[in-house]
């Protein structure tokens, strides 16, 4: 528990620094020179451009995944809304749906406190969706001021469509419930809000591989759920990439729905799907049809600064289970 809180505090300090710094766009930047948390890559065939976003409300552009231009600011929020004038923006995703482009992201207003659990003050943080007519934005708010309860910290929302109904898949943060969850809630047809009741898919403690030490020093399941990404293999199996920790190591696992439906039950794989220090993954296909996973690793520099690096891996979804093969070679 203590380790989780320390790592969370480091992450928050890093995010505050990155949110308050907007550098001028640059060109011809190698992928391995970019520092970015939660990298998400949207391939837009119409423009033959890859758009990479993540934490920070910014976008990078590339035609070959190797060299990038950016960052470009694309998120425009309503400063009079619950987000406030300068929210932190985490784990953004770009989804094309019914001819429009949607920006799923986690927004945090650090000035608004919604709860205190075990002495830890919890800030107003929630998943929200913005919309644009173009993949490079600008992305602006829609009708509903909130998508999820105001007294509940949520994060890492993603889109999944089942039987014609779009759903927001998200995490209820462990800082409040002490056992992070994966949940779903239905979205309106134009994604402008949610409706109905949210439903639990699984809890962090269901994982057989994530571990931490509790206050007594015992080894227990880790509390963190992070970075859901849903996919279907070529054999029709519904899976979900998600991330937690093995003690102080960021680690990514995968779960599969026994019924092929969102409601599961979700069966957790016994071992992580990738090696250590790789997490918050998502899948996309290149313009020539190759399946890749985008994720990040992290490290501290000599000054103790916490850095995150986008990484690409080759993936294979031809069988019943996803296989992450090797780092992608350009």
């Amino acid at each position: 528990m203590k380790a989780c809180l320390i790592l969370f505090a480091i992450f928050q300090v890093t995010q505050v620094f990155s949110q308050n710094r907007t550098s001028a766009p640059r060109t011809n930047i190698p992928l391995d020179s970019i520092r970015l948390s939660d990298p998400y890559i949207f391939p837009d065939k119409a423009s033959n451009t890859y758009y990479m976003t993540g934490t920070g409300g910014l976008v990078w552009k590339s035609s070959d995944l190797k060299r990038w231009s950016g960052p470009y600011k694309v998120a425009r929020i309503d400063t009079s809304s619950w987000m406030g004038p300068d929210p932190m923006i985490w784990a953004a995703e770009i989804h094309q749906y019914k001819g429009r482009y949607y920006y799923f992201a986690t927004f945090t207003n650090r000035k608004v406190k919604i709860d205190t659990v075990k002495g830890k003050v919890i800030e107003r943080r929630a998943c929200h969706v913005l919309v644009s007519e173009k993949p490079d934005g600008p992305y602006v708010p829609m009708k509903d001021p909130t998508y999820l309860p105001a007294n509940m910290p949520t994060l890492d929302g993603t889109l999944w469509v089942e039987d014609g109904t779009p759903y927001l898949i998200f995490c209820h943060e462990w800082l409040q419930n002490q056992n992070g969850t994966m949940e779903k809630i239905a979205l309106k047809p134009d994604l402008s809000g949610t409706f109905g009741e949210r439903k639990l898919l699984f809890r962090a403690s269901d994982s057989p591989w994530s571990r931490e030490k509790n206050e007594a020093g015992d080894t227990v399941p880790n509390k963190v759920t992070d970075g859901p990404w849903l996919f279907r293999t070529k054999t029709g199996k519904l899976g979900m990439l998600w991330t937690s920790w093995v003690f102080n190591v960021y680690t990514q696992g995968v779960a599969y729905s026994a019924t092929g439906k969102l409601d599961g039950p979700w069966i957790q794989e016994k071992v992580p799907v990738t090696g250590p220090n790789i997490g918050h993954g998502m899948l996309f296909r290149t313009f020539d049809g190759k399946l890749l996973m985008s994720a990040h690793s992290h490290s501290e520099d000599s000054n103790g600064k916490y850095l995150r690096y986008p990484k690409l891996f080759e993936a294979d979804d031809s069988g019943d289970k996803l296989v992450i093969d090797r780092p992608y070679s350009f």
Side-chain angles (χ1 to χ4, degrees):
M1 176 66 173
K2 184 178 179 181
C4 280
L5 286 170
I6 291 172
L7 288 164
F8 181 77
I10 292 172
F11 175 73
Q12 282 202 313
V13 169
T14 304
Q15 295 310 308
V16 170
F17 174 79
S18 63
Q19 289 287 316
N20 292 335
R21 181 185 65 184
T22 301
S23 57
R26 296 165 290 158
T27 60
N28 204 33
I29 305 301
L31 179 65
D32 59 10
S33 295
I34 297 173
R35 302 294 173 260
L36 180 66
S37 301
D38 315 323
Y40 179 100
I41 296 178
F42 172 73
D44 182 52
K45 291 184 179 180
S47 61
N48 198 43
T49 301
Y50 297 100
Y51 294 90
M52 181 170 66
T53 187
T55 286
L58 306 171
V59 157
W60 293 79
K61 303 177 185 181
S62 175
S63 61
D64 61 5
L65 297 174
K66 187 176 182 179
R67 298 281 176 171
W68 296 81
S69 66
Y72 305 96
K73 190 171 183 179
V74 297
R76 293 184 183 174
I77 54 97
D78 178 0
T79 58
S80 66
S81 72
W82 68 266
M83 298 178 191
D86 189 28
M88 297 166 63
I89 304 176
W90 294 355
E93 300 183 357
I94 295 172
H95 293 270
Q96 186 177 15
Y97 184 70
K98 293 187 176 180
R100 305 183 85 188
Y101 298 88
Y102 295 88
Y103 199 76
F104 284 61
T106 303
F107 297 85
T108 301
N109 185 338
R110 304 203 72 195
K111 293 183 179 180
V112 178
K113 317 302 180 183
I114 61 172
D115 203 353
T116 301
V117 178
K118 293 189 174 182
K120 175 67 178 178
V121 175
I122 299 173
E123 299 159 348
R124 179 77 187 274
R125 176 164 34 256
C127 304
H128 207 90
V129 183
L130 309 180
V131 67
S132 176
E133 301 299 326
K134 302 183 298 180
D136 54 352
Y139 289 89
V140 299
M142 291 187 282
K143 299 174 185 175
D144 285 14
T146 60
Y147 280 70
L148 292 163
N151 62 351
M152 175 181 170
T154 59
L155 69 162
D156 295 355
T158 191
L159 173 68
W160 187 252
V161 181
E162 183 172 281
D163 297 330
T165 300
Y167 289 91
L168 176 66
I169 313 301
F170 64 94
C171 306
H172 181 188
E173 192 168 29
W174 68 275
L175 288 172
Q176 184 177 62
N177 60 22
Q178 298 297 294
N179 188 5
T181 62
M182 287 294 181
E183 304 189 22
K184 74 165 190 176
I185 191 167
L187 287 160
K188 296 177 180 179
D190 63 355
L191 311 190
S192 63
T194 60
F195 69 92
E197 300 295 324
R198 68 184 201 273
K199 182 171 181 178
L200 175 71
L201 302 182
F202 61 83
R203 301 180 187 276
S205 58
D206 293 339
S207 166
W209 51 264
S210 63
R211 291 290 179 266
E212 67 179 14
K213 294 283 188 181
N214 64 13
E215 291 86 345
D218 300 321
T219 298
V220 297
N222 198 280
K223 297 178 175 65
V224 175
T225 49
D226 186 75
W229 175 260
L230 289 104
F231 62 92
R232 198 174 290 279
T233 68
K234 289 182 178 178
T235 62
K237 202 78 174 283
L238 178 62
M240 184 193 300
L241 287 166
W242 68 286
T243 304
S244 190
W245 296 81
V246 178
F247 302 107
N248 64 339
V249 180
Y250 202 52
T251 306
Q252 184 171 232
V254 66
Y256 293 95
S257 170
T259 61
K261 296 288 188 178
L262 274 177
D263 287 344
W266 288 87
I267 311 301
Q268 303 291 332
E269 290 290 277
K270 293 182 180 179
V271 297
V273 69
T274 50
N277 195 22
I278 297 294
H280 206 110
M282 58 81 60
L283 301 170
F284 69 98
R285 290 198 182 273
T286 63
F287 295 132
D288 59 1
K290 184 182 292 292
L291 183 66
L292 299 183
M293 182 186 76
S294 173
H296 73 247
S297 63
H298 64 261
S299 65
E300 290 185 44
D301 66 13
S302 58
N303 297 317
K305 183 180 176 182
Y306 197 65
L307 302 174
R308 293 195 170 191
Y309 305 83
K311 304 283 187 179
L312 296 179
F313 296 84
E314 294 185 14
D316 181 358
D317 64 349
S318 60
D320 280 343
K321 294 185 178 181
L322 180 71
V323 176
I324 306 300
D325 289 328
R326 63 185 68 85
Y328 178 58
S329 179
F330 293 101

